[in-house]
């Protein structure tokens, strides 16, 4: 027995020794280091994906072909989508989970620290492979981020194999991250932290992790079938060999729709942390928020074919998917109602995290309403594959997911760095982002309703004025994010020192440890009363 004890003590001393320099980041198993790496990686990818969006908007600034070839334009739309979904939004949420979940539940670290390190370090290689494919003869993937067959099989370039390989690695990373979150939350909660005492961010991430484990293998199956159809003579999606191209859409969207909720549920958790803090009131209807999140997750498996109303499905099928899709509005409405009720008669202040959270609530709701419009089968025939759809999902993913990530960064930055960020600069960042993002995406509803198709490098003359506005909004929104980088760098370098409870009204275990949070948060688990 005594030998075991000394081994353990030796082990503890070893762990307290923090390797320095580049080795620290390569070998680290500390959840804060890994969280930081995920967040920095997501920020870099956000700018790479954003640069591709700038190419798209520069080309669409005026009708006619200005800057790029149509094939390169398609590569930009494809890789922009893949990078923003798998390279920016998902790793950013994973970084927040790594940083905050152990602190929120009183755990010493993530449950599987070495796997945690691996799940991060394979990501840069996945995206390197994807980006290198752009330099191949014939260019990178150019079939849209949804890679519909036969565009991705019969008609795609040689880079398809690299694309498939890269998606597989991203999926492996996501699954390992999700397993880690689940095991950590199940096994490492502090004594006394029952399920219904967990912070909502932890709940939303737990449910997201289950979604990831269920749908990532479906994506793996879809890309593998694309690979064998293209290179090995199978015909899963080729009608000539007895396959069915519509089957591809069913498989893809069975992954794709829950994926949309994977990118928004953690955002609900973030907003549910921020709003009560700055309203100085407990969250209204905690239990209903947990059940609403679970309901959204379950329903997300029953709505995939609403992306496919125009494929000619039977009327009974269209009705089923229409009603299920409209049903998701109910638990989502519960959440919005609860946030508003939390703020009702609260002693509200408007620091930058709260401003982004409020913008999230209003603008995400707009995205939700346009989603309801898209759910109505006969109306969808008009909206389908137009810029209206682009407007809808960018309201959900930019003013939804991205705004919530920015809100979280401002909210927890003082806890991470020990310094307060520059409030004035943060407000500049907020207002520039808010105005430009609406100039960018709101007019897309109108050109879409007027019939402008999406994913085209050129368009009819009547859409010229709106597209000029949209492009200007795009460039301004991109430039606004440089203010954010400035805020982050300035805060990391120094500034007014943050207290342990950074925000008056903030509650939870993470606000009881000093700022910056110590390298090893809890030596002995806190007891929750």
């Amino acid at each position: 027995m005594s030998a075991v004890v000394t081994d353990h003590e030796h082990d503890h001393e070893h762990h307290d020794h923090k390797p320095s320099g580049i080795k620290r980041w390569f070998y680290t198993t500390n959840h804060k280091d890994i969280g930081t790496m995920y967040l920095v990686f997501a920020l870099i990818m956000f700018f790479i994906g954003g640069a591709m969006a700038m190419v798209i908007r520069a080309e669409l600034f005026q009708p006619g072909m200005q800057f790029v070839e149509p094939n390169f334009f398609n590569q930009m739309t494809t890789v922009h989508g893949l990078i923003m979904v798998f390279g920016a939004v998902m790793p950013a949420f994973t970084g927040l989970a790594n940083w905050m979940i152990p602190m929120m539940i009183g755990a010493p670290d993530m449950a599987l620290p070495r796997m945690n390190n691996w799940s991060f370090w394979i990501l840069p290689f996945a995206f390197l492979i994807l980006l290198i494919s752009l330099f191949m003869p014939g260019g990178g993937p150019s079939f849209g981020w949804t890679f519909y067959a036969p565009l991705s099989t019969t008609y795609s370039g040689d880079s398809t194999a690299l694309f498939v390989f890269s998606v597989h690695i991203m999926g492996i990373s996501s699954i390992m991250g999700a397993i880690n979150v689940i095991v950590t939350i199940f096994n490492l909660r502090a004594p006394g932290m029952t399920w219904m005492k967990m912070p909502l961010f932890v709940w939303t991430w737990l449910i997201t992790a289950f979604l990831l484990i269920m749908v990532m293998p479906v994506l793996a199956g879809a890309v593998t079938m694309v690979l064998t159809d293209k290179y090995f003579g199978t015909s899963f999606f080729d009608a000539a060999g007895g396959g069915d191209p519509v089957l591809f859409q069913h498989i893809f969207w069975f992954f794709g729709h829950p994926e949309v909720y994977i990118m928004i549920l953690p955002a609900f958790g973030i907003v549910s942390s921020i709003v009560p803090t700055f309203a100085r009131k407990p969250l209204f209807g905690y239990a209903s928020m947990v059940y609403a999140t679970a309901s959204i997750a379950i329903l997300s498996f029953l709505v995939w074919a609403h992306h496919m109303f125009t494929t000619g499905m039977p009327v009974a099928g269209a009705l089923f998917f229409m009603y299920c899709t409209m049903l998701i509005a109910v638990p989502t409405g519960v959440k919005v109602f609860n946030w508003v009720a939390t703020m009702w008669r609260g002693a509200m202040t408007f620091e930058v995290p709260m401003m982004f959270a409020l913008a999230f609530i209003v603008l995400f709701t707009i995205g939700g309403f346009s989603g309801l419009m898209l759910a109505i089968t006969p109306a969808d025939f008009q909206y389908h594959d137009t810029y209206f759809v682009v407007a809808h999902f960018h309201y959900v993913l930019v003013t939804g997911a991205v705004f919530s990530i920015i809100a979280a960064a401002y909210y927890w930055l003082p806890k991470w760095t020990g310094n307060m960020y520059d409030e004035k600069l943060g407000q500049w960042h907020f207002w520039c982002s808010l105005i430009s993002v609406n100039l960018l995406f709101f007019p897309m509803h109108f050109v879409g309703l007027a019939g402008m198709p999406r994913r085209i490098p050129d368009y009819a003359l009547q859409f010229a004025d709106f597209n000029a506005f949209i492009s200007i909004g795009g460039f301004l929104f991109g430039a606004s994010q440089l203010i954010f980088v400035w805020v982050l760098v300035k805060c990391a370098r120094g500034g007014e020192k943050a207290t342990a409870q950074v925000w008056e009204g903030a509650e939870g275990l993470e606000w009881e440890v000093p700022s910056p949070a110590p390298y090893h948060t809890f030596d002995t688990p806190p007891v929750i009363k």
Side-chain angles (χ1 to χ4, degrees):
M1 184 66 194
S2 61
V4 176
V5 173
T6 51
D7 270 357
H8 178 76
E9 282 166 1
H10 174 77
D11 196 44
H12 187 73
E13 281 164 25
H14 179 72
H15 272 293
D16 272 348
H17 174 64
K18 179 162 71 173
S20 55
I22 196 102
K23 266 189 171 172
R24 167 183 169 187
W25 301 100
F26 270 128
Y27 299 136
T28 182
T29 52
N30 183 288
H31 70 98
K32 300 185 179 75
D33 283 352
I34 294 171
T36 303
M37 291 195 298
Y38 266 114
L39 289 165
V40 171
F41 175 78
L43 189 66
I44 293 167
M45 281 295 145
F46 180 60
F47 277 98
I48 294 175
M52 293 175 179
M54 297 298 99
V55 173
I56 294 166
R57 285 321 319 173
E59 180 53 64
L60 294 174
F61 186 69
Q62 286 184 306
M65 297 305 297
Q66 268 78 242
F67 300 109
V68 295
E69 295 296 311
N71 184 40
F72 186 73
F73 183 90
N74 291 345
Q75 291 171 46
M76 287 294 100
T77 51
T78 303
V79 181
H80 161 74
L82 289 166
I83 282 184
M84 288 309 205
V85 169
F86 297 107
V89 172
M90 287 168 70
F93 280 137
T94 312
L96 292 169
N98 263 303
W99 244 105
M100 301 314 302
I101 288 175
M103 286 168 67
M104 287 177 158
I105 62 173
D109 203 316
M110 295 296 271
L112 306 162
R114 287 195 174 148
M115 187 164 92
N116 204 10
N117 175 297
W118 195 46
S119 70
F120 170 76
W121 274 114
I122 60 176
L123 266 189
F125 293 99
F127 286 94
L128 197 62
I129 292 166
L130 181 63
L131 289 168
I132 284 174
S133 73
L134 290 168
F135 298 98
M136 284 182 72
S142 59
F143 30 68
W145 83 274
T146 51
F147 57 101
Y148 275 12
L151 292 177
S152 57
T153 52
T154 315
Y155 301 109
S156 65
D158 289 337
S159 56
T160 307
L162 289 185
F163 155 78
V164 170
F165 188 38
S166 132
V167 169
H168 269 304
I169 302 176
M170 297 169 202
I172 293 167
S173 169
S174 292
I175 290 171
M176 290 196 299
I179 290 170
N180 217 338
V181 166
I182 292 170
V183 177
T184 304
I185 295 171
F186 268 75
N187 294 337
L188 296 184
R189 299 197 307 283
M193 179 163 285
T194 57
W195 288 108
M196 294 314 267
K197 281 186 188 166
M198 291 198 316
L200 253 164
F201 180 68
V202 179
W203 260 117
T204 51
W205 239 111
L206 180 65
I207 292 166
T208 302
F210 276 110
L211 278 181
L212 275 165
I213 286 177
M214 286 189 269
V215 301
M216 277 305 173
V218 179
L219 176 67
V223 290
T224 306
M225 285 188 258
V226 164
L227 188 77
T228 58
D229 268 17
K230 182 160 177 62
Y231 296 102
F232 299 106
T234 56
S235 46
F236 291 108
F237 308 129
D238 183 5
D244 181 3
V246 178
L247 171 68
F248 175 86
Q249 298 189 28
H250 280 291
I251 299 171
F252 178 83
W253 287 116
F254 190 76
F255 146 80
H257 204 80
E259 165 65 22
V260 177
Y261 290 97
I262 286 165
M263 291 190 286
I264 203 68
L265 292 183
F268 294 161
I270 290 165
V271 173
S272 304
S273 305
I274 293 175
V275 168
T277 297
F278 294 100
R280 309 217 168 26
K281 273 177 65 186
L283 183 72
F284 179 88
Y286 170 89
S288 64
M289 289 292 248
V290 174
Y291 297 132
T293 309
S295 323
I296 290 173
I298 293 161
L299 283 169
S300 74
F301 283 101
L302 302 176
V303 297
W304 77 88
H306 67 206
H307 297 267
M308 302 167 54
F309 285 146
T310 55
T311 54
M313 66 174 77
V315 172
L319 282 171
F320 170 82
F321 286 109
M322 175 166 95
Y323 288 131
C324 282
T325 306
M326 292 163 79
L327 201 57
I328 282 196
V330 178
T332 313
V334 167
K335 288 178 165 303
V336 175
F337 175 82
N338 286 7
W339 291 324
V340 174
T342 304
M343 293 184 279
W344 178 250
R345 295 196 169 165
M348 284 178 47
T349 54
F350 300 96
E351 283 85 350
V352 179
M354 184 62 161
M355 289 158 82
F356 273 103
L358 287 172
F360 169 93
I361 294 169
V362 174
L363 299 173
F364 172 76
T365 305
I366 291 176
F369 276 129
S370 59
L372 263 179
M373 294 168 69
L374 288 159
I376 317 274
T377 311
D380 185 77
F381 275 71
Q382 169 73 15
Y383 308 135
H384 188 81
D385 252 344
T386 68
Y387 257 78
F388 189 86
V389 180
V390 182
H392 155 70
F393 74 74
H394 281 86
Y395 263 92
V396 173
L397 285 180
V398 180
T399 62
V402 174
F403 268 32
S404 76
I405 291 163
I406 294 172
Y410 279 110
Y411 185 55
W412 284 311
L413 199 57
K415 179 57 68 186
W416 299 339
T417 61
N419 306 319
M420 294 304 289
Y421 61 85
D422 185 329
E423 183 73 24
K424 212 28 148 239
L425 270 180
Q427 291 185 353
W428 267 100
H429 174 222
F430 170 76
W431 287 110
C432 293
S433 297
L434 182 73
I435 293 162
S436 58
V437 84
N438 285 295
L439 182 61
L440 167 57
F441 295 123
F442 205 74
M444 288 183 182
H445 293 102
F446 304 120
V447 289
L449 287 174
M452 177 172 160
R454 62 195 272 207
R455 294 183 180 151
I456 48 161
D458 191 12
Y459 52 85
L461 211 54
Q462 67 263 32
F463 304 125
D465 293 353
F466 269 126
N467 269 294
F469 280 123
I470 292 168
S471 288
I472 290 166
F475 295 132
L476 290 174
F477 183 69
S480 308
Q481 304 324 304
L482 297 172
I483 307 175
F484 183 46
V485 176
W486 187 18
V487 173
L488 295 176
V489 171
K490 200 174 163 185
C491 180
R493 281 185 168 177
E496 186 193 332
K497 290 287 167 251
T499 56
Q501 184 195 13
V502 178
W503 311 106
E504 179 203 342
E507 283 181 7
L509 288 178
E510 76 264 37
W511 306 111
E512 291 178 16
V513 299
S515 306
Y519 196 66
H520 295 287
T521 321
F522 300 106
D523 284 335
T524 51
V527 178
I528 317 291
K529 297 213 165 38

